Amino acid sequence: MEAETGATGGRRSPQQAAEPVPSGPALTELQRALQQVCEQAGWPYAEAWSPRPDGTCTLLPPWHRDDHHRLEPFRRPTEQLGFMPEFGLPGRVLASKQAIFVADVITDPLFCRPTAARKAGLVGAVGVPVLAGGRVVAVLVFFGRAGEVSAWPRVAELARAATRQFGPSTDETPPRPRQG
């Protein structure tokens, strides 16, 4: 079995590539959240990324509107990626445990798919962590076109609302008293 290449160009072992991703009700709920947020905000494409024990992120099935042919240049190379911690939008959201907005993914030096995004007409992106017990259990990333980018605060708000079923976010958890 060959190792996969991750978003950083690094290789992942066959064992890492074969680890199971969420399935069943959790996967269904994540996909429902992607679809609901995109439909309510009018954004065309969304991804869910699952963190692995080694700190990488693996793509779960993405959601996209019916304009499949226009989004294909972005969707196809995305299926080959696996983000390392703090790399790419999913890795940065995973590391920070906070929502991140990128106004222009085509010019953002930290975004690893600018050519594919340009070909698909995608410009802005919002990454939102799904938190359960203060731990990131998934990262949701939503992509919009130029005319849709100004709606990013609504996308982030909708995504947070859709993911509250998984547990409180870190900013909603009361602070713990310091020891010592």
Side-chain angles (χ1 to χ4, degrees), residues 9-33:
R11 306 286 282 177
R12 290 189 292 162
S13 71
Q15 293 79 14
Q16 290 170 327
E19 288 178 22
V21 296
S23 61
L27 179 58
T28 301
E29 290 302 315
L30 285 172
Q31 290 178 310
R32 186 174 296 135

PDB file of all heavy atoms in Angstrom, residues 9-33:
ATOM      1  N   GLY A   9       2.819  18.368   1.552  1.00  0.00           N
ATOM      2  CA  GLY A   9       3.762  17.654   0.712  1.00  0.00           C
ATOM      3  C   GLY A   9       4.390  16.497   1.462  1.00  0.00           C
ATOM      4  O   GLY A   9       5.087  15.689   0.891  1.00  0.00           O
ATOM      5  N   GLY A  10       4.125  16.405   2.739  1.00  0.00           N
ATOM      6  CA  GLY A  10       4.647  15.308   3.541  1.00  0.00           C
ATOM      7  C   GLY A  10       3.885  14.033   3.283  1.00  0.00           C
ATOM      8  O   GLY A  10       2.769  14.053   2.791  1.00  0.00           O
ATOM      9  N   ARG A  11       4.493  12.933   3.614  1.00  0.00           N
ATOM     10  CA  ARG A  11       3.851  11.646   3.388  1.00  0.00           C
ATOM     11  C   ARG A  11       3.169  11.175   4.652  1.00  0.00           C
ATOM     12  O   ARG A  11       3.650  11.408   5.744  1.00  0.00           O
ATOM     13  CB  ARG A  11       4.897  10.616   2.964  1.00  0.00           C
ATOM     14  CG  ARG A  11       5.743  11.035   1.781  1.00  0.00           C
ATOM     15  CD  ARG A  11       5.029  10.974   0.497  1.00  0.00           C
ATOM     16  NE  ARG A  11       4.957   9.606   0.047  1.00  0.00           N
ATOM     17  CZ  ARG A  11       4.325   9.222  -1.034  1.00  0.00           C
ATOM     18  NH1 ARG A  11       3.706  10.077  -1.766  1.00  0.00           N
ATOM     19  NH2 ARG A  11       4.294   7.970  -1.404  1.00  0.00           N
ATOM     20  N   ARG A  12       2.027  10.519   4.479  1.00  0.00           N
ATOM     21  CA  ARG A  12       1.341   9.909   5.607  1.00  0.00           C
ATOM     22  C   ARG A  12       1.495   8.412   5.470  1.00  0.00           C
ATOM     23  O   ARG A  12       1.466   7.863   4.379  1.00  0.00           O
ATOM     24  CB  ARG A  12      -0.143  10.277   5.599  1.00  0.00           C
ATOM     25  CG  ARG A  12      -0.351  11.740   5.927  1.00  0.00           C
ATOM     26  CD  ARG A  12      -1.787  12.045   6.130  1.00  0.00           C
ATOM     27  NE  ARG A  12      -2.495  11.924   4.864  1.00  0.00           N
ATOM     28  CZ  ARG A  12      -3.811  11.800   4.760  1.00  0.00           C
ATOM     29  NH1 ARG A  12      -4.560  11.783   5.819  1.00  0.00           N
ATOM     30  NH2 ARG A  12      -4.387  11.698   3.599  1.00  0.00           N
ATOM     31  N   SER A  13       1.642   7.750   6.581  1.00  0.00           N
ATOM     32  CA  SER A  13       1.825   6.310   6.549  1.00  0.00           C
ATOM     33  C   SER A  13       0.544   5.617   6.107  1.00  0.00           C
ATOM     34  O   SER A  13      -0.544   6.170   6.232  1.00  0.00           O
ATOM     35  CB  SER A  13       2.209   5.804   7.939  1.00  0.00           C
ATOM     36  OG  SER A  13       1.095   5.882   8.807  1.00  0.00           O
ATOM     37  N   PRO A  14       0.618   4.388   5.602  1.00  0.00           N
ATOM     38  CA  PRO A  14      -0.584   3.653   5.240  1.00  0.00           C
ATOM     39  C   PRO A  14      -1.523   3.489   6.431  1.00  0.00           C
ATOM     40  O   PRO A  14      -2.730   3.503   6.269  1.00  0.00           O
ATOM     41  CB  PRO A  14      -0.050   2.301   4.758  1.00  0.00           C
ATOM     42  CG  PRO A  14       1.338   2.594   4.304  1.00  0.00           C
ATOM     43  CD  PRO A  14       1.833   3.678   5.214  1.00  0.00           C
ATOM     44  N   GLN A  15      -0.994   3.367   7.644  1.00  0.00           N
ATOM     45  CA  GLN A  15      -1.845   3.218   8.818  1.00  0.00           C
ATOM     46  C   GLN A  15      -2.655   4.491   9.041  1.00  0.00           C
ATOM     47  O   GLN A  15      -3.841   4.423   9.329  1.00  0.00           O
ATOM     48  CB  GLN A  15      -1.009   2.917  10.075  1.00  0.00           C
ATOM     49  CG  GLN A  15      -0.332   1.576  10.056  1.00  0.00           C
ATOM     50  CD  GLN A  15       0.939   1.573   9.213  1.00  0.00           C
ATOM     51  OE1 GLN A  15       1.486   2.613   8.831  1.00  0.00           O
ATOM     52  NE2 GLN A  15       1.399   0.388   8.875  1.00  0.00           N
ATOM     53  N   GLN A  16      -2.036   5.661   8.900  1.00  0.00           N
ATOM     54  CA  GLN A  16      -2.757   6.910   9.068  1.00  0.00           C
ATOM     55  C   GLN A  16      -3.812   7.062   7.979  1.00  0.00           C
ATOM     56  O   GLN A  16      -4.914   7.507   8.241  1.00  0.00           O
ATOM     57  CB  GLN A  16      -1.799   8.101   9.008  1.00  0.00           C
ATOM     58  CG  GLN A  16      -0.898   8.186  10.205  1.00  0.00           C
ATOM     59  CD  GLN A  16       0.187   9.216   9.996  1.00  0.00           C
ATOM     60  OE1 GLN A  16       0.665   9.418   8.875  1.00  0.00           O
ATOM     61  NE2 GLN A  16       0.589   9.848  11.062  1.00  0.00           N
ATOM     62  N   ALA A  17      -3.478   6.703   6.764  1.00  0.00           N
ATOM     63  CA  ALA A  17      -4.420   6.838   5.671  1.00  0.00           C
ATOM     64  C   ALA A  17      -5.607   5.907   5.842  1.00  0.00           C
ATOM     65  O   ALA A  17      -6.699   6.201   5.377  1.00  0.00           O
ATOM     66  CB  ALA A  17      -3.727   6.544   4.339  1.00  0.00           C
ATOM     67  N   ALA A  18      -5.441   4.783   6.514  1.00  0.00           N
ATOM     68  CA  ALA A  18      -6.505   3.800   6.655  1.00  0.00           C
ATOM     69  C   ALA A  18      -7.358   3.990   7.898  1.00  0.00           C
ATOM     70  O   ALA A  18      -8.332   3.284   8.082  1.00  0.00           O
ATOM     71  CB  ALA A  18      -5.897   2.396   6.678  1.00  0.00           C
ATOM     72  N   GLU A  19      -7.016   4.954   8.783  1.00  0.00           N
ATOM     73  CA  GLU A  19      -7.808   5.150   9.988  1.00  0.00           C
ATOM     74  C   GLU A  19      -9.238   5.498   9.613  1.00  0.00           C
ATOM     75  O   GLU A  19      -9.486   6.230   8.668  1.00  0.00           O
ATOM     76  CB  GLU A  19      -7.223   6.279  10.838  1.00  0.00           C
ATOM     77  CG  GLU A  19      -5.940   5.903  11.511  1.00  0.00           C
ATOM     78  CD  GLU A  19      -5.366   7.064  12.314  1.00  0.00           C
ATOM     79  OE1 GLU A  19      -6.115   7.974  12.679  1.00  0.00           O
ATOM     80  OE2 GLU A  19      -4.164   7.030  12.564  1.00  0.00           O
ATOM     81  N   PRO A  20     -10.235   4.982  10.364  1.00  0.00           N
ATOM     82  CA  PRO A  20     -11.629   5.269  10.030  1.00  0.00           C
ATOM     83  C   PRO A  20     -11.979   6.726  10.321  1.00  0.00           C
ATOM     84  O   PRO A  20     -11.427   7.342  11.221  1.00  0.00           O
ATOM     85  CB  PRO A  20     -12.405   4.328  10.938  1.00  0.00           C
ATOM     86  CG  PRO A  20     -11.488   4.050  12.079  1.00  0.00           C
ATOM     87  CD  PRO A  20     -10.095   4.121  11.524  1.00  0.00           C
ATOM     88  N   VAL A  21     -12.898   7.267   9.539  1.00  0.00           N
ATOM     89  CA  VAL A  21     -13.419   8.610   9.763  1.00  0.00           C
ATOM     90  C   VAL A  21     -14.805   8.468  10.378  1.00  0.00           C
ATOM     91  O   VAL A  21     -15.404   7.395  10.337  1.00  0.00           O
ATOM     92  CB  VAL A  21     -13.474   9.414   8.443  1.00  0.00           C
ATOM     93  CG1 VAL A  21     -12.087   9.630   7.891  1.00  0.00           C
ATOM     94  CG2 VAL A  21     -14.345   8.727   7.420  1.00  0.00           C
ATOM     95  N   PRO A  22     -15.343   9.551  10.958  1.00  0.00           N
ATOM     96  CA  PRO A  22     -16.670   9.456  11.555  1.00  0.00           C
ATOM     97  C   PRO A  22     -17.694   8.907  10.578  1.00  0.00           C
ATOM     98  O   PRO A  22     -17.637   9.183   9.382  1.00  0.00           O
ATOM     99  CB  PRO A  22     -16.998  10.908  11.918  1.00  0.00           C
ATOM    100  CG  PRO A  22     -15.669  11.553  12.072  1.00  0.00           C
ATOM    101  CD  PRO A  22     -14.772  10.875  11.091  1.00  0.00           C
ATOM    102  N   SER A  23     -18.622   8.154  11.102  1.00  0.00           N
ATOM    103  CA  SER A  23     -19.675   7.592  10.264  1.00  0.00           C
ATOM    104  C   SER A  23     -20.976   7.607  11.056  1.00  0.00           C
ATOM    105  O   SER A  23     -21.011   8.057  12.192  1.00  0.00           O
ATOM    106  CB  SER A  23     -19.307   6.163   9.844  1.00  0.00           C
ATOM    107  OG  SER A  23     -19.182   5.352  11.001  1.00  0.00           O
ATOM    108  N   GLY A  24     -22.014   7.090  10.456  1.00  0.00           N
ATOM    109  CA  GLY A  24     -23.293   6.993  11.131  1.00  0.00           C
ATOM    110  C   GLY A  24     -23.909   8.341  11.438  1.00  0.00           C
ATOM    111  O   GLY A  24     -23.781   9.291  10.665  1.00  0.00           O
ATOM    112  N   PRO A  25     -24.576   8.464  12.594  1.00  0.00           N
ATOM    113  CA  PRO A  25     -25.292   9.698  12.937  1.00  0.00           C
ATOM    114  C   PRO A  25     -24.403  10.942  12.986  1.00  0.00           C
ATOM    115  O   PRO A  25     -24.815  12.007  12.557  1.00  0.00           O
ATOM    116  CB  PRO A  25     -25.879   9.407  14.324  1.00  0.00           C
ATOM    117  CG  PRO A  25     -25.936   7.928  14.417  1.00  0.00           C
ATOM    118  CD  PRO A  25     -24.789   7.420  13.583  1.00  0.00           C
ATOM    119  N   ALA A  26     -23.183  10.819  13.480  1.00  0.00           N
ATOM    120  CA  ALA A  26     -22.299  11.985  13.567  1.00  0.00           C
ATOM    121  C   ALA A  26     -21.982  12.523  12.177  1.00  0.00           C
ATOM    122  O   ALA A  26     -22.018  13.732  11.940  1.00  0.00           O
ATOM    123  CB  ALA A  26     -21.016  11.637  14.312  1.00  0.00           C
ATOM    124  N   LEU A  27     -21.669  11.642  11.232  1.00  0.00           N
ATOM    125  CA  LEU A  27     -21.369  12.064   9.866  1.00  0.00           C
ATOM    126  C   LEU A  27     -22.615  12.669   9.218  1.00  0.00           C
ATOM    127  O   LEU A  27     -22.543  13.706   8.563  1.00  0.00           O
ATOM    128  CB  LEU A  27     -20.852  10.891   9.036  1.00  0.00           C
ATOM    129  CG  LEU A  27     -20.511  11.198   7.577  1.00  0.00           C
ATOM    130  CD1 LEU A  27     -19.466  12.297   7.483  1.00  0.00           C
ATOM    131  CD2 LEU A  27     -20.041   9.944   6.877  1.00  0.00           C
ATOM    132  N   THR A  28     -23.756  12.041   9.432  1.00  0.00           N
ATOM    133  CA  THR A  28     -25.005  12.553   8.876  1.00  0.00           C
ATOM    134  C   THR A  28     -25.301  13.950   9.397  1.00  0.00           C
ATOM    135  O   THR A  28     -25.699  14.838   8.643  1.00  0.00           O
ATOM    136  CB  THR A  28     -26.171  11.603   9.218  1.00  0.00           C
ATOM    137  OG1 THR A  28     -25.875  10.317   8.672  1.00  0.00           O
ATOM    138  CG2 THR A  28     -27.485  12.110   8.660  1.00  0.00           C
ATOM    139  N   GLU A  29     -25.089  14.181  10.690  1.00  0.00           N
ATOM    140  CA  GLU A  29     -25.326  15.503  11.277  1.00  0.00           C
ATOM    141  C   GLU A  29     -24.355  16.545  10.732  1.00  0.00           C
ATOM    142  O   GLU A  29     -24.749  17.682  10.479  1.00  0.00           O
ATOM    143  CB  GLU A  29     -25.247  15.442  12.802  1.00  0.00           C
ATOM    144  CG  GLU A  29     -26.409  14.683  13.426  1.00  0.00           C
ATOM    145  CD  GLU A  29     -27.773  15.262  13.061  1.00  0.00           C
ATOM    146  OE1 GLU A  29     -27.938  16.497  13.100  1.00  0.00           O
ATOM    147  OE2 GLU A  29     -28.674  14.476  12.715  1.00  0.00           O
ATOM    148  N   LEU A  30     -23.094  16.176  10.556  1.00  0.00           N
ATOM    149  CA  LEU A  30     -22.128  17.112   9.977  1.00  0.00           C
ATOM    150  C   LEU A  30     -22.522  17.483   8.554  1.00  0.00           C
ATOM    151  O   LEU A  30     -22.481  18.648   8.169  1.00  0.00           O
ATOM    152  CB  LEU A  30     -20.719  16.523   9.996  1.00  0.00           C
ATOM    153  CG  LEU A  30     -20.022  16.490  11.339  1.00  0.00           C
ATOM    154  CD1 LEU A  30     -18.719  15.711  11.237  1.00  0.00           C
ATOM    155  CD2 LEU A  30     -19.768  17.886  11.865  1.00  0.00           C
ATOM    156  N   GLN A  31     -22.914  16.493   7.762  1.00  0.00           N
ATOM    157  CA  GLN A  31     -23.303  16.773   6.384  1.00  0.00           C
ATOM    158  C   GLN A  31     -24.577  17.607   6.331  1.00  0.00           C
ATOM    159  O   GLN A  31     -24.711  18.499   5.495  1.00  0.00           O
ATOM    160  CB  GLN A  31     -23.466  15.477   5.605  1.00  0.00           C
ATOM    161  CG  GLN A  31     -22.120  14.811   5.356  1.00  0.00           C
ATOM    162  CD  GLN A  31     -22.244  13.499   4.639  1.00  0.00           C
ATOM    163  OE1 GLN A  31     -23.025  12.642   5.024  1.00  0.00           O
ATOM    164  NE2 GLN A  31     -21.469  13.362   3.590  1.00  0.00           N
ATOM    165  N   ARG A  32     -25.501  17.348   7.246  1.00  0.00           N
ATOM    166  CA  ARG A  32     -26.724  18.152   7.325  1.00  0.00           C
ATOM    167  C   ARG A  32     -26.365  19.601   7.677  1.00  0.00           C
ATOM    168  O   ARG A  32     -26.924  20.535   7.116  1.00  0.00           O
ATOM    169  CB  ARG A  32     -27.682  17.576   8.359  1.00  0.00           C
ATOM    170  CG  ARG A  32     -29.021  18.301   8.375  1.00  0.00           C
ATOM    171  CD  ARG A  32     -30.026  17.649   9.300  1.00  0.00           C
ATOM    172  NE  ARG A  32     -30.325  16.310   8.804  1.00  0.00           N
ATOM    173  CZ  ARG A  32     -30.388  15.223   9.570  1.00  0.00           C
ATOM    174  NH1 ARG A  32     -30.178  15.306  10.870  1.00  0.00           N
ATOM    175  NH2 ARG A  32     -30.671  14.050   9.056  1.00  0.00           N
ATOM    176  N   ALA A  33     -25.418  19.788   8.587  1.00  0.00           N
ATOM    177  CA  ALA A  33     -24.986  21.146   8.964  1.00  0.00           C
ATOM    178  C   ALA A  33     -24.380  21.862   7.760  1.00  0.00           C
ATOM    179  O   ALA A  33     -24.675  23.045   7.528  1.00  0.00           O
ATOM    180  CB  ALA A  33     -23.990  21.085  10.118  1.00  0.00           C
TER     181      ALA A  33
END
